[in-house]
Amino acid sequence: MDILTLLPFIVLIGAMFLMTRSAKKKQAAAAQMRNAMQPGTGVRTIGGMYATVKEVHDDTVILEVAPGVHAIYAKNSIGAVLDDAEYNRIVHGDDEELDADGTVVPDDASSLTGEPDVDKADVAKIDLGKDEAADKDAETETEDAAAKDAKGEGKTDGESDTK
């Protein structure tokens, strides 16, 4: 046999080896993370629910999903163990970075441009209403259609007004 005929098989086996190796590393890291859970830590389940760990057993975890509400989950259903700052930021809305900075974002962009405030009376109003000529054309079309319907003209069985 020639080495060129065996080359695709060797490359395929090598790729499979590398993929299984990286998958095993990810599984080992996830198992280590789940084993590091302690009561009181915040977690996110694979379903996206945030909860606090109350008890850790061999294969299960008791989570407090709301004050006084406990649920039993499999350890494999824990997607991530969160540190306290991240858990409080997500669940309770505590954002220490914004509170410490003290910057306030204005509601409009007028304070960002540096131009003086313009009196609202000076601003020209734009009429966003319908054009009167278009309204008259629409009224004429509906009157013509109503007149044809009254006479029995225009539509036959099965026809509709859709365009």
Side-chain angles (χ1 to χ4, degrees):
M1 284 191 133
D2 191 19
I3 189 76
L4 291 177
T5 58
L6 293 176
L7 187 63
F9 295 111
I10 294 171
V11 169
L12 183 63
I13 291 170
M16 288 174 50
F17 173 74
L18 290 175
M19 286 189 292
T20 57
R21 190 172 137 206
S22 66
K24 285 182 182 179
K25 283 184 179 181
K26 287 180 183 178
Q27 286 177 350
Q32 181 183 6
M33 177 226 15
R34 290 182 185 117
N35 289 333
M37 282 189 299
Q38 298 175 12
T41 59
V43 294
R44 181 182 65 235
T45 65
I46 58 174
M49 183 181 68
Y50 293 92
T52 305
V53 176
K54 285 299 173 184
E55 293 180 26
V56 180
H57 300 287
D58 291 336
D59 294 332
T60 60
V61 178
I62 297 178
L63 300 178
E64 185 177 30
V65 295
V69 179
H70 297 91
I72 299 173
Y73 279 82
K75 269 190 176 180
N76 291 340
S77 67
I78 304 300
V81 177
L82 308 171
D83 60 351
D84 290 336
E86 183 178 5
Y87 181 76
N88 289 331
R89 181 183 60 82
I90 294 170
V91 175
H92 303 296
D94 298 342
D95 201 359
E96 298 170 1
E97 294 176 6
L98 291 179
D99 294 340
D101 192 21
T103 59
V104 177
V105 178
D107 290 338
D108 60 351
S110 63
S111 64
L112 301 174
T113 58
E115 298 175 6
D117 290 338
V118 178
D119 188 19
K120 291 185 180 183
D122 295 340
V123 177
K125 292 187 179 181
I126 299 172
D127 185 20
L128 299 176
K130 291 184 178 180
D131 187 20
E132 290 179 18
D135 286 343
K136 288 181 183 177
D137 291 341
E139 288 176 12
T140 309
E141 288 177 12
T142 55
E143 289 172 2
D144 291 343
K148 285 183 181 179
D149 287 344
K151 293 179 183 177
E153 299 175 2
K155 288 192 271 184
T156 60
D157 288 343
E159 290 184 5
S160 64
D161 289 332
T162 58
K163 292 183 181 181

